[in-house]
Every structure is written in C-alpha cells, then in structure tokens.
Amino acid sequence: SCPKQKQHPEQKRKNAPGPAFLSHLPVTGHPDYIFPLVLTSATQELFCCRADVDVTGDEPHKLLRKEDILRDMKNRAAVSDFSPLKQAVLDYPEEELLLVFDQDFTYGQSFYLVLTAGAKEDILRPPPGMEEEEEEGDELLEVQKTPEPKPWLSLGSEREIQEESVTDTRPRVYKVSRVRRQFGAPVCFWDHSAGAMRGSYVECPSYQDKSFSLWRMEKENSVQAIPNTKSSSSQTLWKYPRNMCTQYEPRELEDEEKERLLQSADLKNFLNSVSARFELAIQQNEIMDVFLDDWRALGDEENVLGGKVDTHLKEYQSFTHTHYSTNKTISCLSWHPTVNGVIAVAVTENLSFEERINNSTRLLLNPSLILFWSFSDPINPQLLLECPDDIFCFEFCPSNPNIIAGGCMNGQVALWDISAHVDRLQGARGGGAARTSNADDTRDIAPPTVRYCAVSGVESGHRAPITDIQWLPETFEVSRTGTPLENKTLISVQIVTCAPDCCVMFWDLRAPRTVVNALTDTKPKPEEKTVENPYGVPSTFKHLDLTWKPLFRVHTHTHFSHSHSPSPTPPDKSVTVGDRPEPPDYGQLHLPSAKHQRQTDDISTKFYVGTEDGEVVYTDWKLEKDNDSGQLFSPKPTHCFRVHDCLVNTVSRSPFYLDIILTVGGWNFAIWKEGVMTGPLVLSACSQKRCSAGAWSLTRPGVMYIGKEDGNLEVWDLLEKTHEPSQIQSVTTFPITCIKPWTVSLKQQLLAVSDHQGTLHILQVPWMLRHPAANELSVSRYFEKEVEHLVYFEKRTEMREREKKQVEAEEQRRRMVRSSFSWWASLLDNICPKNICAGRN
Amino acid sequence: MAEVEETLKRIQAHKGVIGTIVVNAEGIPIRTTLDSSTTVQYAGLLHQLTMKARSTVRDIDPQNDLTFLRIRSKKHEIMVAPDKEYLLIVIQNPSE
C-alpha cells in the first residue's frame, strides 16, 4: 500500500494562501483552507482511502504524503483529481496532507482536503475544549456565548472594495489650496496691464499659414478709359457774408462802330453767302406749314359719329298762362342775368289803337304785367310786375339785376325794384325739396305782384310809345350835354330810350343835384308830410317818382323805332367789374357835379337807330352848341340808309365784333360795319314773309337767328350760305316777336322765342349751332372781304362813270370823224370813183 | 453799305418775317429791325445757343461745322446762320 499511498499524495488543506492562489478557486461557503474534492474510485484505491472502506464516518481522516500527491499529478497530469491543487500542494510546508472523508457532504463533496498545517493540527488533534464542546453540542443545545472579536478573515471582499474605490492612478502633480475662510468671500478684481508682464499670459496671434494661402492666378477685369481727371481743391477766404447786388445792362456798340461794321466787306460777304439759305427757308415756310397736323386740324367735332347731324332746335319748355297771357302779345323778353332759369316777358294787349280806346275802361282795371317765369314751374309765373301801361321794352340793370327799367306805351319810363322777391326767384329755381313742402302754398297763393316804384313824369317823357330802352354800360356816363364822362361808381345809372316821336332821351337814375347852396339842402323840412306807401313799393327811387326828367334829349327828324346802345368800353380801359360789394342803394346816389368828372374822349358817341319807316340812321348824341344863339342842339344824323321796307324791329351788335351790327326789318335784314358808310356789308334777299325779330348767336360769330311772321325760325350761317338760311324751323304758328339766346352752361344753350299769341317757347340749341367751328374767325375775314367788296363797288361805279364818259366822248369823235371822212370820200368819188372804191375796200 | 441794306431789306420783305438782327461775334447786335430790348434779348440768347449747337456738332465730328439753325416754336420760326464773326437772325411767322 505504500506505492499506492505514495500515489495518493496527502491532500491537506493549506493555510491562508496568497491572493494569486485563491483567484481561481470558486467562491463557496467554506473556509479557504478547506478544499472540497471529488476522488474517483481509482484514486481512492490508489491512496487507500476508499469511501466507506478505508475511511468511514468514524474515522474520516487520512494522511496523505505530499510526494505521493505530486507523483500522481505527474503521472496523470490533467486527469488527476488533485490537479487544481497543484500549487497549493507544492506550497504545503509539511510532508503530509490531511484528507477528510466528508460523509455528510458538509462542504459539497465527498472528500475535502485541508490545505493548512495549522488547520490540520486543529482537526486531527482538536483542542479538548472544542472536542468536548462538539460532543456536547451534538446532544445538547448550544450554549449562547458573547461572540469574541476574531481576526479579520479575508474572503475576497477586499478585492471588490478596492475596485470600487477611487484612487490615484498616478501621483499628483500640483496641489492648489486655499484658505477656508476665503470661500464665498467677495472677490476684488483689478486691472492688469497685459503688456506689463509679458510672461503672465499666453498669446495666440494670427499668423499666415502657408498651407492655406491661395493665389488667384486668373482674374476677369474690365477697363474703361476716361478723360484725364485731376483732383484739385481750393479754399476760399471767407470772412463774413455780405449782401451784394449788381446791376448790368447789355453791351451795345457805338453808332460809329456799327457804321464801320456795316460798311465792312466781311459783313457783305457773310450776308451774301448766307442769304440764299435764308431765302430758301423763308420760302419753305411761306409755301406751307410743315408742322401743321392736318389730321388734328381736320375736325374737332366731339359728338358727331357720322350719320345725320342734329341741327334741329329742340323744344325745351314753353310757358303760357291762361289768365295772364292768353290773347295777349309778348312784346319783349329778357333773361334774368344772374338767376339761372328765370326769364321775364312783357305781356301786352293785342289790340289796335281804336280797340284800345273802346276798351279803355277794361284795360284800366287789368293792369299790364311783366311775368317772371321759372323753369321749375311751367304753370305759374313766379313774379308779376305791375306796369302803368303796356310795356314794349324792358331791360334788367347790368350792375344790379334787381332793378328793371321798362318803357311804356304812353311814353313813360318805369322802374321796378324786386330786391324783396329775389329769394323767391332763386328759391323757385333751385329747390325741389322746398317746393314740395310748400307745394300747396305756392299753388294757392298767387304770385306776388310788385308795383313799379318810380315812373317818369308824363309831360317830360316821350310822346309816343317807347320802343326801345337800353342801359348805358357801367364804365362811363353821360353829362347834360352828352359828353361821355368817366363813371367813378362803376354802376349803370343811365338809360337811353327812344320813341317814334323823333326823340332819344337819356335818363339818369340819381337824384338831381340842386344847384342851390349846400346850406339850403341841409335845412330840415319839417313840413314835409310823410308820404304813404300804400302799395308796399320799395322806396329806392322815391326821388324820381313822377318827377323824373330826362337828362337830355336828342332830337332828330326821323321817327325812331329802335336804338342801340353806344359802343362799350374801348379796349385800353381795363375795368375789373367783379368783386363788387352789394349794390349800392340807388336812393342815396346823387348826380355829381359835372366839374368833378373827367371827360373820356375815347368813347364814341355815335350810335345806330332804326326807324319806323325802315331807315337806319347813324347819328351822334352829343349836343352841339350853336355858336350864334348859344343853345344846345343835336346835330344832324351823319348817315341815313333806307334799306328795309318796314319798321326796323331789331338793331343789335354782334357779341364778337364790336363794329358789326345787325338790323332786321321788313322783308330782309342787313349787317353793317361801323365806319363803313357806303352801305351794308350784307343785305339779305327779300324773303316771302316779313322778318319780325332777329338775334346774334352767342357762341358762333357767323350765326344769327331770324324770326318770321309765319312763326318760322331761320338760322343763318354766314360761313355756309349767304343767300338763304341754312336751316328753317317752325316754332309756332304766330308771328315771332322776340328772340333771345342764353348760355346756361358749356353744354347747354337755350333760345327764348316769344310769339304774338302770348306763348314763350324755350328751345335748346343743338351742338352744331352752338359749337364754333374751327374757322369761325374767318367770319371776320368774310366781313373784311365784304368791306372790300363795297369799296370795289364804289370804285367800280366811279370807274363806270368814267368809262361811260370816255365811251361817249369816243363816240362823239368817231361820229365827227366819220362825217368828215364821208364828205371827203364823196368829193374824191366825184374825181376818181374807181380808185377810191378799191382803196377803200 | 447799300448792298448790305439791300440784302437785309430783301429778307425782311418776305411774307411773315417779323424781324432781322445782325449780331457780331460777341453777341452784340449791330443792326436790327426790332426794338432794342427784344433785340438784346434775342441776340444774347441765340448767340449762346448757337455756340452750344456749334460745339455739339464739332464734338461729334471735328471736321463738321454748323451752317444753319432753325428753331420752330408754336408761334414763330427763328432762323440763325452763324459765321466766324457774325450771326444773322431772322424771325418769321409761318402760319400766316
């Protein structure tokens, strides 16, 4: 059994081995010096420690020789059961190892080896106390004893702790410490100059890194050449600003210098060389105007898009009143100068003289009226003016449209003041709203009647019906002798009237200035009783009422029917009429003394008058002084033309040309030019019906309207035809008594036509008749041509006369020559008939 | 002198010619048919304009030179002929 024993090295537990040894041992719940072991049957037989044969529960211990274990390990190498313990066995200090049979599998295996000598000793020869305790412990309960501290037995946990703890892997290099009391204390910073201590900071300046620099080898560039420029600057010495002014005049050469230059050959050559070019250019311009836009100048008709052009005068409105204007004639009409849409007509009885006398009582009860019509109300007139007698003509005052002057049939001049009713006129014109609220009122209440506020004295007025009345323009006035004077007040204050009693009278609206001293004027007159005012007439012209006398009168020997106002302002007198304050109170005006007024010489005092017999008279109104008797008398008319066959009913100046006058009368009409005294420029052919009224168009210089006895309205366009009217339109069936055009706005022009039966027609003028054509100014040229015509005619008559005389003289001479010749011929015949006959033939 | 007069009269006699002015190189009028203030104005202004026009023509082509200048306005036509030493200005109204 020795070799077997030797082959069974003792397996003993070892004492606390080093950590290297223990690292490969599994961690189990047994002390380190005990190593559980499994022995195969072969090993058990080799070492004589067969379970339950050699070693039993009672004798578990077996000592194994170290050499045997080693030999076994060498022989069997890895297969040996002791191979995991190779090192432990080698380190075992003693010869014998203890192997213990673990019957109860205390440590997990059937055998275990004790690895330390001390433990071996303890197990083999257990201390008596322990042994006894163990024996007693098996049978009795354990006696509790306070555990005594034992020395630490490392079982491998230190390794874990070491792994978890943080330790320095290398020695510390720097150690910075701070005093504890400075933790959290306020810190004080101060500046530190960077340059002072070079070494206290580290700088990283930029540097050129060669590896990153790129050179651009190719670049696109453009070059532009400019003129040489040079920059320079200068500084002026500026002391202080100073106002300075310079006056200069253009340079001029001395006269001698000019003469010398004009004589020089240089100038001559220059002019010679250059004048050809000039002539060419001038002639080009003379031939035609190359810059004229023919297309644009062709026509500027706005609305005409081809097709029929509308030249018909459309009926706009007509006014008639059953009560006031039936069976009556409208003798005169006038548009209100300021209020739009208001027109006034004078209504007169349509009776002959005898009938008037027969019906005089009836006539006295029904006063004659001037009706004011407004476009907003075609049924009722807005205002009625009561007249002393039938009015044949009336006019609004140009400077104050509230004053109306009218001439009556009995020769009186009447004045009305409608200032109180102007609002009614304007209101009626304007508002539809106001009207509808008072609709009942206006219809029920008759229109207000305004009585005339002044009328001239019956003895001092005309002795025949006043046929025309005109206001003098506000730029001048006339003195007692007819000399035109400067009108300082710039309002119209004077009226001219004419009547078939061969008189033209000038009236002044102002109170006559008494010649007596100023003292007497200011003396109070208490005995003057207050004049009643029964008719509610404004007292504007109280001073004139019934005492009005004309300023002076112009007597001629012809019976006047119509006159025309003298020429308006001469062109170099510029008078601004606008912005006038409210019209002055006529009652306060007084005739100024003639001494204080300046005479204006540039107003012509001549005027045209048409007569009852159809003559047109051109005369002067200025009274002349007869040197012999010292009396003032009116001069004889300068010219007298018998052109019309019946009474002249219209004498009217053209609104465009100041010296062109239209006269209508009888069966024709005539156009005159002031200054041309040989005859009318244009004399129309006699028409079939009498011309009863005429008027110029307000916008077209060559157009005029002629009203006929049969109610036709003829439109004459001088540029189109002069031998017949360009258009005839029937307006009414009764003779037309008056025509007045009126421009309402740029787009509307109205023509008021009144007829013999009391109806007032308002016609609208179509575009063609109111829009002037492009060459309207050639109307003036037409008139000039007519003037030349007349001149030529005159010359022709003279020439004809001369020619006639010449022809007669020639005839005489020839007769004489012939007679003498025949005598000689007969004489020669007697002598030698053949020769003479041949010679003669 | 007579020739100069005659030439100027001939130009002035054309239809529509309003006035003629002869101006020296500095813009001072020598001979005119208009009144003094108008003459001076025309002379000064047209002299400058002619100089400008001439320099324009010569800038474009230095071998070129201005021979005649015509200014057409709404109302008149002004014709200017420059020379080394003189300037002749004629004003005409072409639309008569």
Side-chain angles (χ1 to χ4, degrees):
Chain A
S1 77
C2 286
K4 277 197 185 163
Q5 274 184 348
K6 286 182 187 167
Q7 280 178 9
H8 296 253
E10 285 174 348
Q11 297 172 22
K12 291 256 176 98
R13 283 185 223 137
K14 222 183 165 184
N15 261 352
F21 170 74
L22 286 171
S23 63
H24 62 275
L25 287 177
V27 179
T28 50
H30 58 82
D32 284 336
Y33 51 85
I34 289 176
F35 189 76
L37 195 58
V38 174
L39 290 175
T40 56
S41 322
T43 315
Q44 284 174 18
E45 284 192 22
L46 205 59
F47 284 93
C48 301
C49 59
R50 287 185 292 259
D52 295 328
V53 177
D54 293 324
V55 290
T56 57
D58 295 331
E59 258 192 64
H61 308 285
K62 179 83 178 172
L63 286 168
L64 297 177
R65 296 226 342 207
K66 181 179 169 182
E67 300 160 5
D68 295 332
I69 296 173
L70 287 171
R71 206 180 321 123
D72 181 50
M73 278 200 287
K74 270 186 211 156
N75 288 342
R76 294 207 289 170
V79 185
S80 164
D81 297 327
F82 299 104
S83 58
L85 295 169
K86 183 175 176 184
Q87 190 63 37
V89 169
L90 282 171
D91 291 335
Y92 193 73
E94 291 188 6
E95 286 285 328
E96 289 179 337
L97 282 92
L98 177 67
L99 177 76
V100 179
F101 174 65
D102 191 0
Q103 199 173 20
D104 299 323
F105 286 89
T106 318
Y107 294 109
Q109 303 296 348
S110 53
F111 287 91
Y112 65 83
L113 191 68
V114 179
L115 297 174
T116 57
K120 178 182 89 172
E121 294 295 323
D122 287 334
I123 291 171
L124 281 180
R125 283 168 278 278
M130 271 176 63
E131 210 177 281
E132 287 171 5
E133 280 174 17
E134 277 178 14
E135 285 177 11
E136 288 175 7
D138 292 333
E139 294 160 358
L140 297 172
L141 292 169
E142 282 184 6
V143 176
Q144 276 300 87
K145 262 199 334 196
T146 55
E148 291 168 1
K150 295 177 196 159
W152 170 256
L153 272 178
S154 165
L155 291 173
S157 60
E158 290 149 354
R159 208 178 31 145
E160 288 173 23
I161 293 168
Q162 266 177 3
E163 278 174 12
E164 293 291 325
S165 67
V166 176
T167 54
D168 295 326
T169 52
R170 57 177 182 161
R172 290 186 179 175
V173 179
Y174 291 114
K175 183 173 165 192
V176 177
S177 66
R178 197 172 177 204
V179 180
R180 180 76 185 93
R181 67 168 178 276
Q182 283 184 355
F183 276 51
V187 184
C188 169
F189 290 113
W190 65 90
D191 291 337
H192 189 71
S193 160
M197 293 165 58
R198 289 283 163 155
S200 64
Y201 67 95
V202 175
E203 209 179 16
C204 295
S206 62
Y207 65 99
Q208 206 167 28
D209 193 354
K210 291 281 184 210
S211 59
F212 289 110
S213 65
L214 294 171
W215 278 109
R216 192 174 183 158
M217 301 306 290
E218 207 173 69
K219 211 183 334 190
E220 277 187 42
N221 247 345
S222 59
V223 174
Q224 183 175 20
I226 56 168
N228 279 340
T229 60
K230 191 172 79 161
S231 294
S232 70
S233 60
S234 73
Q235 181 86 23
T236 59
L237 219 53
W238 184 73
K239 296 208 170 89
Y240 58 91
R242 224 189 312 207
N243 278 339
M244 280 230 351
C245 58
T246 331
Q247 189 164 18
Y248 63 92
E249 60 175 27
R251 273 188 303 176
E252 278 183 356
L253 294 173
E254 298 293 316
D255 285 336
E256 303 90 43
E257 189 72 23
K258 280 191 200 170
E259 285 297 321
R260 191 182 62 78
L261 280 171
L262 284 171
Q263 306 277 0
S264 67
D266 271 343
L267 187 64
K268 196 160 59 179
N269 292 338
F270 161 67
L271 283 177
N272 285 338
S273 65
V274 147
S275 60
R277 241 191 281 272
F278 270 103
E279 306 229 324
L280 185 69
I282 292 174
Q283 272 164 11
Q284 271 178 4
N285 284 334
E286 274 173 19
I287 294 170
M288 71 169 278
D289 187 2
V290 288
F291 292 100
L292 179 67
D293 190 351
D294 289 322
W295 177 249
R296 200 160 286 172
L298 183 60
D300 38 9
E301 290 139 18
E302 304 161 353
N303 311 345
V304 179
L305 293 168
K308 233 167 68 125
V309 176
D310 182 22
T311 52
H312 188 81
L313 287 130
K314 287 201 205 44
E315 174 105 5
Y316 185 77
Q317 209 163 10
S318 82
F319 297 99
T320 181
H321 198 269
T322 47
H323 180 62
Y324 297 127
S325 51
T326 38
N327 295 328
K328 295 201 191 174
T329 320
I330 295 181
S331 52
C332 181
L333 70 91
S334 176
W335 292 87
H336 196 288
T338 47
V339 180
N340 254 341
V342 171
I343 185 168
V345 293
V347 177
T348 58
E349 291 290 339
N350 209 349
L351 305 166
S352 70
F353 190 61
E354 277 191 25
E355 286 167 355
R356 272 180 202 271
I357 296 174
N358 292 339
N359 296 333
S360 54
T361 43
R362 183 171 69 84
L363 288 174
L364 276 175
L365 290 173
N366 294 347
S368 12
L369 298 165
I370 294 181
L371 308 175
F372 273 73
W373 291 101
S374 163
F375 281 174
S376 49
D377 188 3
I379 306 170
N380 291 321
Q382 299 304 120
L383 195 61
L384 302 174
L385 296 183
E386 203 183 290
C387 327
D389 208 344
D390 276 349
I391 296 270
F392 273 145
C393 55
F394 70 95
E395 283 288 335
F396 286 90
C397 172
S399 35
N400 183 3
N402 295 335
I403 311 286
I404 302 157
C408 301
M409 224 188 71
N410 56 5
Q412 284 180 312
V413 178
L415 285 171
W416 290 267
D417 185 355
I418 56 164
S419 333
H421 303 274
V422 171
D423 299 330
R424 200 193 140 84
L425 285 178
Q426 281 174 337
R429 161 80 190 89
R435 272 180 41 76
T436 48
S437 62
N438 306 336
D440 297 327
D441 298 344
T442 47
R443 251 182 255 133
D444 291 348
I445 298 176
T449 310
V450 179
R451 205 179 133 87
Y452 49 91
C453 57
V455 76
S456 68
V458 179
E459 306 84 25
S460 47
H462 284 281
R463 296 205 166 75
I466 297 182
T467 44
D468 201 4
I469 186 166
Q470 295 276 346
W471 288 86
L472 278 185
E474 55 229 354
T475 46
F476 70 97
E477 58 182 59
V478 166
S479 74
R480 280 185 184 280
T481 55
T483 30
L485 302 165
E486 192 192 339
N487 184 353
K488 295 219 173 91
T489 53
L490 289 177
I491 43 171
S492 300
V493 286
Q494 295 184 332
I495 309 172
V496 187
T497 58
C498 71
D501 63 350
C502 317
C503 261
V504 170
M505 293 196 186
F506 282 75
W507 306 76
D508 198 304
L509 287 184
R510 296 170 289 193
R513 188 185 163 90
T514 50
V515 192
V516 295
N517 279 348
L519 288 169
T520 49
D521 279 347
T522 55
K523 220 180 359 187
K525 295 176 187 148
E527 56 269 24
E528 212 181 54
K529 67 174 166 78
T530 50
V531 183
E532 292 138 17
N533 205 347
Y535 298 109
V537 163
S539 55
T540 325
F541 294 110
K542 207 84 200 104
H543 54 273
L544 295 171
D545 199 9
L546 294 174
T547 55
W548 200 7
K549 278 197 195 136
L551 205 54
F552 69 98
R553 42 185 104 204
V554 177
H555 265 284
T556 59
H557 305 285
T558 48
H559 301 245
F560 292 137
S561 63
H562 261 94
S563 83
H564 191 272
S565 68
S567 54
T569 340
D572 54 355
K573 233 178 159 23
S574 59
V575 174
T576 49
V577 178
D579 289 346
R580 197 182 287 132
E582 47 145 305
D585 190 6
Y586 276 88
Q588 306 299 327
L589 292 174
H590 286 271
L591 263 181
S593 156
K595 291 195 286 266
H596 297 150
Q597 286 182 310
R598 212 156 42 108
Q599 215 176 15
T600 49
D601 295 323
D602 39 4
I603 304 247
S604 156
T605 54
K606 300 194 166 43
F607 62 108
Y608 278 89
V609 191
T611 66
E612 228 178 354
D613 302 326
E615 279 179 340
V616 175
V617 177
Y618 187 60
T619 182
D620 194 340
W621 79 64
K622 212 161 38 170
L623 298 175
E624 285 173 3
K625 212 158 182 173
D626 188 11
N627 288 330
D628 300 333
S629 59
Q631 265 199 341
L632 295 168
F633 71 98
S634 40
K636 276 217 170 81
T638 36
H639 292 96
C640 214
F641 304 100
R642 173 151 288 204
V643 185
H644 304 290
D645 306 310
C646 226
L647 83 92
V648 175
N649 52 47
T650 307
V651 176
S652 161
R653 247 177 234 268
S654 165
F656 292 90
Y657 305 107
L658 300 175
D659 49 1
I660 303 286
I661 292 153
L662 168 75
T663 57
V664 178
W667 282 270
N668 54 6
F669 68 89
I671 297 180
W672 307 80
K673 187 174 165 96
E674 201 165 350
V676 174
M677 291 299 130
T678 42
L681 290 185
V682 175
L683 184 61
S684 82
C686 287
S687 58
Q688 306 238 318
K689 297 275 173 187
R690 272 197 239 184
C691 305
S692 47
W696 288 99
S697 160
L698 289 181
T699 46
R700 289 189 67 180
V703 171
M704 56 202 116
Y705 306 99
I706 307 287
K708 286 289 209 291
E709 213 183 18
D710 56 357
N712 279 346
L713 182 71
E714 287 180 0
V715 178
W716 286 74
D717 187 353
L718 285 177
L719 291 177
E720 207 181 308
K721 306 186 239 202
T722 54
H723 62 282
E724 61 175 16
S726 62
Q727 196 184 322
I728 305 179
Q729 186 175 333
S730 172
V731 175
T732 171
T733 44
F734 303 103
I736 291 178
T737 50
C738 196
I739 302 176
K740 287 264 169 77
W742 182 252
T743 310
V744 175
S745 67
L746 272 178
K747 298 259 164 89
Q748 199 185 30
Q749 200 183 69
L750 299 173
L751 195 66
V753 177
S754 61
D755 70 6
H756 204 69
Q757 208 54 21
T759 315
L760 174 66
H761 303 268
I762 310 282
L763 305 168
Q764 192 161 356
V765 178
W767 191 86
M768 276 298 289
L769 286 177
R770 83 178 120 95
H771 187 90
N775 54 349
E776 285 291 336
L777 298 173
S778 57
V779 172
S780 61
R781 230 177 282 168
Y782 170 73
F783 289 136
E784 280 166 31
K785 218 169 43 145
E786 292 297 323
V787 172
E788 281 168 26
H789 242 160
L790 284 172
V791 170
Y792 170 69
F793 269 131
E794 222 183 280
K795 291 222 177 81
R796 266 265 296 249
T797 40
E798 283 173 27
M799 209 173 65
R800 280 276 136 78
E801 285 288 326
R802 258 183 284 132
E803 261 182 22
K804 204 161 144 194
K805 281 197 197 115
Q806 268 182 2
V807 166
E808 273 178 15
E810 197 59 40
E811 268 298 321
Q812 277 277 4
R813 228 182 307 125
R814 212 176 282 157
R815 240 180 274 130
M816 283 194 54
V817 168
R818 212 177 288 137
S819 60
S820 59
F821 198 62
S822 62
W823 186 79
W824 275 111
S826 56
L827 193 65
L828 285 170
D829 266 341
N830 295 335
I831 302 171
C832 179
K834 260 192 196 167
N835 287 346
I836 290 165
C837 282
R840 207 182 308 156
N841 289 347
Chain B
M1 172 71 172
E3 258 194 66
V4 163
E5 281 288 340
E6 199 191 296
T7 318
L8 287 175
K9 269 207 183 54
R10 205 173 63 237
I11 292 179
Q12 179 73 24
H14 277 271
K15 184 175 135 201
V17 172
I18 299 173
T20 32
I21 308 172
V22 179
V23 178
N24 79 344
E26 293 176 339
I28 308 175
I30 299 174
R31 166 76 196 236
T32 173
T33 60
L34 302 167
D35 60 287
S36 156
S37 57
T38 319
T39 303
V40 155
Q41 198 173 20
Y42 268 108
L45 293 168
L46 285 167
H47 175 256
Q48 289 179 26
L49 184 65
T50 315
M51 289 302 116
K52 191 73 175 179
R54 175 188 260 161
S55 71
T56 307
V57 167
R58 286 180 75 100
D59 270 350
I60 293 170
D61 179 9
Q63 317 226 312
N64 209 352
D65 196 6
L66 179 71
T67 50
F68 200 54
L69 186 64
R70 277 167 89 163
I71 302 165
R72 184 62 178 258
S73 75
K74 269 202 271 205
K75 296 185 188 171
H76 314 304
E77 173 150 342
I78 304 172
M79 291 168 256
V80 182
D83 186 65
K84 266 201 319 297
E85 295 164 23
Y86 303 99
L87 203 67
L88 178 61
I89 302 168
V90 173
I91 303 139
Q92 185 191 20
N93 186 358
S95 61
E96 260 178 37

